[in-house]
Amino acid sequence: MQEQRDFVPRWVMWIFWLYTLVLILFGAAMFVMGAMLIFEGGSWYYALMGLATVAAGVLLALRRGSGVVVFGIASLATLAWALWEVGFDGWALIPRLAWLSGFGLLMLAFWVVFHRSFAGLRKPVYFASAGVLPVVMIALMVVPLLNPSSIELADPDLVRSRPAEPFSRAMVSVPDGNVAGSHDATNWTSYGGSNLSNKFTPSAQITPENVRRLEVAWHFHTGDNKPEDAKFAYAFQNTPLMVEDTVYICTPSQIVIAVDAAKGTEKWRFDPEVDRKAMSNIAASTCRGVAYFEAPEPAAQCPKRIIWPMVDGRMGALDAETGQLCTDFGENGYIDLNEGTGNEFPGFVAPTSPPLVMRGLAIIGTGQVRDGSERDAPSGVVRGYDAVTGEQRWAWDLGRPGVTTPPPPGETYTRSTPNVWSLIAGDDELGLVYLPTGNAASDFYGADRTEQEEKYTSALVAVGAETGQERWHFRTVNHDLWDFDLSPQPNLIDFPTPDGPRAAVLQATKNGQVYVLDRATGEPILPVVQTPVPQGTDTDEFTAATQPFSPEMPNTVGPPGKEMEVLTESDAWGITPLDQLQCRIEFKRLRYEGAYTPPTLQGSLAFAGNHGGINWGGVSVDIQRGILIMNSNRLPYTEHVYTRETMDELGVVSIFRGKSETPGYMAQRGSKYGARKEPWMSVLNTPCIAPPWGYVSGTDLRTKEVIWRRPLGTGYDAGPLGIRSHIKLTMGTPNNSGSLTTAGGLTFIGAGLDQFLRGFSTETGELLWEVRIPAGAQANPMSYEVDGRQYIVAAIGGHDRMETKLGDSVIAWALPENR
């Protein structure tokens, strides 16, 4: 044996000893963290495996064959434990098996060392431990990830059994020439396609059979790139409008641009020169859209106009044909939305969603009220303005029930009330608009809320479009402590019932619930069940005994079969066992008892977190096929509250009062407690649960069954520590924005963290079209027809806070003209 050892080059032995040292250190770290996990009441596996790994490394360093035996037995035990804990879930097996298979294959690479210098080595044991077991582990991880059934989660029986007759009316007649009140194949007249907000086009030229032939028809650059010296975040979340052969775009700095719908050439642009201080005081500077208004009678100025919001608190009007300010609107073309709200700081109130235009009025919420900064915040009032003159017609101020006039001089609308920052829908036949409300100013502490704030937090409110008088309201969260504000736009559909179609409003939510209510009365069409939820906190906060669940509509936040997923310690995930251990330890330290676990001083886990679930991109509805398309996030958040004394020690102040010494906290100035919320992430900047982290699904509204579901997005443009993996493996990423459905049977969506726009079969979920794009797609696509040619258009400009690539593109795709 001594002679054989002489044949091993010294440099090879040095590399081998480095290998054993890394193995020992890895095992030691696993033992220490495993002991911490045991102390928290968690699994004993990691500490035991850490000891076994250290023992194997020491024995290997001493060149004892028993080291291979220990490693092999520990590997086999780990394989059995991993399959017992998570089954054949490829993603969940990665932190449990990948490191072992890696160390095993490296051991195999040192065959010359083992063959020539190890005492008592048995070759079958060596090759089993260093070859067979690692290969088996790799196969168990990789095969499930490459299995199409893990991606194409469609139920063939449900797909085949769907009725062929149309689900709903494709067109809805409206009075007063309101072009935004109906679905229209040739135009896209409102943010959601129409005021019904279904994000659906009756255009059917592009089909599952020809969608692969789509090509870029035009590519327009807005020129609005984030300035190098910007102290604010950018988010290009715009869904353009198209009316009469002109596309209207609104950029992150609220520049409005008109573009030829067929050629993509600029017609005009208008820069309102938004206050940069306001842009820096909001989460991300954006403009989700503009509104279009056409006066039913000839107007002296701007008979066709674009009305849009600005984050510095203005709403303006432009001539749709020339881009000139409509100086007869408000004061020289602008309305000051800060008026009467009590706002004193740029950006504290920031309207980012377009008004809804109906019955001659532009109806708009105050806008975003900066989350978590100050309890005494500006009012969340909603107002209706004459779309020609800009004169205020009414105000819905929840602190003054029934009173729709402005407050007396020197007074303000009720301060700190839940605001309407997202997108509004409207039924012109009923004369109602549907307002999705947010939270009172302190999102994560509610013991000091008023009775009115409690009543209207996270609620859907129907008010008269011409009067602002409330018709009904429906609260989706009781005593909201999770920032579950209603961000998805309501959808107005004809919902099937045993007694025939019923005019309904469908409201998706951040917590994954989907409510179906009567459009006229607010009465639930599908049952809403008040269900007991976790109780009690470690502060003076109180919790609601129950929360309203909609059990007949699928919640597609979790994986199939676990829609209302309740996490366990074994769900904690990481790329390696060490960052997985970090997440497992945190899971045991955080309070978590399922959905609606309240925020605590101890720290709590919220799942779904306040990003959703379903966020502002909302859902789309193919109203001909009766299929609801929903993209959702599966991303837990950690939520803590802190005493005012702790916040003072940390030097946390409201963003409007200075710069915090410790960033990342929510001051909630004026409340008894501050807060911190963030995605539950490992030290390698990956979520602490295994993929998928985002889904897209199709639900048959007739049967209320999910007919298909699939992970949305790949890790191509993301990865641990922010390093792009460039691996196009469908894993499902967190997503932001929504989808477009077409009468041709297609669903188009970007939304994920990768730079792709995709087209799916609406009926089966099959991926039919995928195109690489130059930036993130954090905006809902739209569609229209010009000269008989259908276009699919999307703003491609990314989102700073989603860490997707920024850009300034608006791209249109269409079938070749010589088709």
Side-chain angles (χ1 to χ4, degrees):
M1 181 63 72
Q2 182 62 44
E3 291 178 359
Q4 289 180 333
R5 290 177 185 172
D6 294 340
F7 287 96
V8 180
R10 183 173 296 275
W11 67 270
V12 174
M13 288 306 303
W14 277 110
I15 296 175
F16 175 73
W17 283 324
L18 178 62
Y19 164 79
T20 60
L21 177 62
V22 172
L23 188 63
I24 292 168
L25 292 176
F26 198 91
M30 190 183 300
F31 170 74
V32 172
M33 296 183 73
M36 295 169 63
L37 182 59
I38 292 172
F39 180 78
E40 299 294 341
S43 171
W44 283 63
Y45 160 77
Y46 294 90
L48 296 175
M49 187 60 190
L51 285 175
T53 304
V54 170
V58 171
L59 290 169
L60 292 175
L62 296 173
R63 285 177 282 180
R64 298 288 188 267
S66 54
V68 178
V69 174
V70 171
F71 183 86
I73 293 174
S75 297
L76 190 61
T78 294
L79 178 58
W81 165 80
L83 293 176
W84 168 78
E85 194 171 52
V86 298
F88 294 95
D89 183 333
W91 289 113
L93 288 173
I94 285 175
R96 295 165 170 86
L97 302 181
W99 71 281
L100 267 176
S101 59
F103 276 117
L105 292 177
L106 284 173
M107 186 184 296
L108 189 65
F110 286 111
W111 163 244
V112 64
V113 177
F114 285 94
H115 177 61
R116 296 177 178 176
S117 65
F118 262 64
L121 177 65
R122 299 182 60 183
K123 289 183 180 180
V125 174
Y126 170 75
F127 284 111
S129 301
V132 175
L133 270 175
V135 170
V136 169
M137 291 177 180
I138 291 171
L140 287 170
M141 290 182 287
V142 172
V143 171
L145 302 184
L146 299 180
N147 182 4
S149 66
S150 68
I151 300 173
E152 305 280 354
L153 303 175
D155 188 321
D157 293 334
L158 291 177
V159 171
R160 284 193 297 266
S161 63
R162 296 194 65 258
E165 66 271 13
F167 170 77
S168 177
R169 296 174 294 170
M171 303 292 289
V172 178
S173 61
V174 293
D176 297 335
N178 180 7
V179 297
S182 61
H183 300 101
D184 183 353
T186 57
N187 294 295
W188 190 271
T189 55
S190 183
Y191 175 85
S194 73
N195 286 347
L196 304 174
S197 76
N198 291 319
K199 304 165 185 76
F200 168 82
T201 174
S203 184
Q205 183 185 103
I206 302 170
T207 67
E209 291 71 33
N210 63 26
V211 65
R212 286 184 173 86
R213 300 181 60 206
L214 283 180
E215 62 182 19
V216 173
W218 52 261
H219 186 160
F220 179 77
H221 290 278
T222 68
D224 185 11
N225 294 292
K226 182 179 176 181
E228 292 184 3
D229 62 344
K231 297 180 180 179
F232 46 81
Y234 250 32
F236 198 6
Q237 298 175 318
N238 178 248
T239 295
L241 301 190
M242 201 292 277
V243 184
E244 296 181 354
D245 298 345
T246 301
V247 172
Y248 298 98
I249 301 162
C250 187
T251 73
S253 57
Q254 292 92 71
I255 297 170
V256 181
I257 307 172
V259 171
D260 184 285
K263 301 175 183 177
T265 54
E266 183 173 323
K267 293 184 173 182
W268 56 257
R269 72 171 51 213
F270 182 86
D271 186 352
E273 300 180 350
V274 171
D275 184 353
R276 280 184 137 200
K277 183 65 174 176
M279 295 170 71
S280 66
N281 281 343
I282 64 174
S285 185
T286 192
C287 177
R288 291 187 178 86
V290 302
Y292 177 85
F293 172 72
E294 188 172 322
E297 298 179 1
Q301 189 185 45
C302 306
K304 301 175 182 179
R305 57 184 60 191
I306 297 297
I307 304 175
W308 89 111
M310 288 146 272
V311 297
D312 55 12
R314 291 178 292 164
M315 182 166 69
L318 300 171
D319 188 299
E321 296 182 345
T322 67
Q324 298 296 310
L325 272 173
C326 303
T327 55
D328 61 347
F329 182 80
E331 295 292 330
N332 295 317
Y334 296 105
I335 292 169
D336 182 6
L337 296 176
N338 289 308
E339 184 178 352
T341 66
N343 184 28
E344 300 175 359
F345 302 105
F348 203 162
V349 169
T352 58
S353 297
L356 181 121
V357 173
M358 198 168 98
R359 300 203 173 184
L361 300 182
I363 300 162
I364 191 168
T366 302
Q368 292 184 13
V369 175
R370 181 67 188 241
D371 280 348
S373 293
E374 305 197 10
R375 177 66 177 95
D376 183 25
S379 175
V381 62
V382 179
R383 286 164 288 192
Y385 296 90
D386 188 294
V388 174
T389 67
E391 181 182 353
Q392 182 175 321
R393 298 298 188 192
W394 55 260
W396 180 71
D397 179 10
L398 64 83
R400 301 182 305 147
V403 179
T404 59
T405 55
E411 298 183 20
T412 68
Y413 297 104
T414 310
R415 293 183 63 85
S416 307
T417 53
N419 58 311
V420 175
W421 64 266
S422 192
L423 298 139
I424 300 170
D427 183 332
D428 214 337
E429 293 182 336
L430 291 175
L432 294 178
V433 292
Y434 301 89
L435 313 175
T437 73
N439 309 73
S442 292
D443 296 296
F444 299 99
Y445 179 74
D448 57 1
R449 291 178 190 158
T450 67
E451 180 181 349
Q452 290 296 99
E453 288 169 348
E454 283 290 309
K455 183 178 179 181
Y456 290 100
T457 286
S458 304
L460 183 63
V461 185
V463 303
E466 296 175 299
T467 66
Q469 292 287 355
E470 180 184 335
R471 184 74 59 87
W472 56 262
H473 79 278
F474 175 85
R475 189 172 63 190
T476 64
V477 184
N478 300 328
H479 193 56
D480 186 357
L481 301 174
W482 304 271
D483 192 22
F484 280 161
D485 47 337
L486 282 186
S487 53
Q489 186 178 24
N491 296 72
L492 308 186
I493 62 173
D494 294 332
F495 195 81
T497 73
D499 299 322
R502 191 167 168 185
V505 52
L506 185 149
Q507 180 64 63
T509 65
K510 283 185 178 180
N511 56 26
Q513 299 296 311
V514 178
Y515 302 96
V516 182
L517 312 173
D518 185 280
R519 223 182 288 176
T521 66
E523 174 190 0
I525 294 175
L526 295 182
V528 174
V529 179
Q530 293 290 337
T531 305
V533 292
Q535 293 297 295
T537 70
D538 51 7
T539 69
D540 64 350
E541 183 64 86
F542 70 92
T543 49
T546 62
Q547 293 293 346
F549 284 75
S550 179
E552 291 193 15
M553 283 298 291
N555 182 325
T556 60
V557 171
K562 295 168 58 177
E563 285 79 5
M564 285 301 295
E565 184 177 11
V566 177
L567 302 176
T568 65
E569 181 200 327
S570 63
D571 289 308
W573 190 78
I575 297 295
T576 72
L578 299 183
D579 60 314
Q580 185 196 33
L581 263 168
Q582 169 223 327
C583 294
R584 290 183 86 131
I585 292 168
E586 288 179 359
F587 180 85
K588 301 300 291 188
R589 289 176 176 173
L590 293 166
R591 179 180 173 185
Y592 177 69
E593 300 163 25
Y596 295 103
T597 299
T600 56
L601 291 167
Q602 168 191 345
S604 299
L605 196 63
F607 183 57
N610 76 307
H611 183 67
I614 308 151
N615 212 301
W616 62 267
V619 301
S620 61
V621 180
D622 184 325
I623 61 168
Q624 293 185 356
R625 292 170 177 82
I627 297 178
L628 166 72
I629 302 297
M630 175 172 15
N631 57 294
S632 57
N633 292 278
R634 181 176 170 264
L635 187 63
Y637 270 59
T638 59
E639 295 176 350
H640 292 74
V641 292
Y642 300 89
T643 64
R644 186 54 51 195
E645 291 75 18
T646 299
M647 299 299 280
D648 291 341
E649 291 172 4
L650 292 170
V652 178
V653 297
S654 161
I655 190 173
F656 304 107
R657 310 284 174 172
K659 186 175 182 180
S660 293
E661 296 176 18
T662 310
Y665 292 80
M666 304 173 75
Q668 297 193 160
R669 182 179 186 268
S671 284
K672 204 169 180 180
Y673 295 89
R676 183 183 178 97
K677 52 91 178 175
E678 55 192 340
W680 188 32
M681 306 288 280
S682 79
V683 292
L684 297 182
N685 197 36
T686 58
C688 274
I689 62 172
W693 299 311
Y695 285 99
V696 60
S697 64
T699 298
D700 190 321
L701 290 173
R702 295 180 176 90
T703 63
K704 281 86 71 182
E705 292 185 276
V706 178
I707 54 177
W708 62 266
R709 181 179 340 188
R710 57 182 297 147
L712 176 63
T714 70
Y716 192 91
D717 294 295
L721 300 176
I723 301 171
R724 297 187 178 194
S725 71
H726 293 291
I727 299 174
K728 196 175 175 184
L729 181 64
T730 299
M731 61 191 302
T733 70
N735 52 82
N736 199 336
S737 76
S739 58
L740 159 73
T741 58
T742 77
L746 294 165
T747 293
F748 293 94
I749 186 169
L753 299 185
D754 56 354
Q755 292 168 215
F756 293 94
L757 192 71
R758 298 180 171 91
F760 300 98
S761 165
T762 301
E763 295 190 313
T764 69
E766 180 184 359
L767 178 62
L768 301 173
W769 177 73
E770 183 177 69
V771 63
R772 184 74 172 156
I773 49 180
Q778 273 65 61
N780 291 35
M782 50 85 80
S783 180
Y784 56 82
E785 289 184 11
V786 176
D787 297 329
R789 191 183 191 197
Q790 183 182 0
Y791 295 78
I792 305 297
V793 178
I796 309 296
H799 193 312
D800 264 331
R801 294 186 67 196
M802 295 290 291
E803 299 181 0
T804 56
K805 184 180 178 182
L806 297 184
D808 69 337
S809 295
V810 180
I811 305 177
W813 292 268
L815 295 173
E817 288 190 279
N818 62 352
R819 63 187 179 278

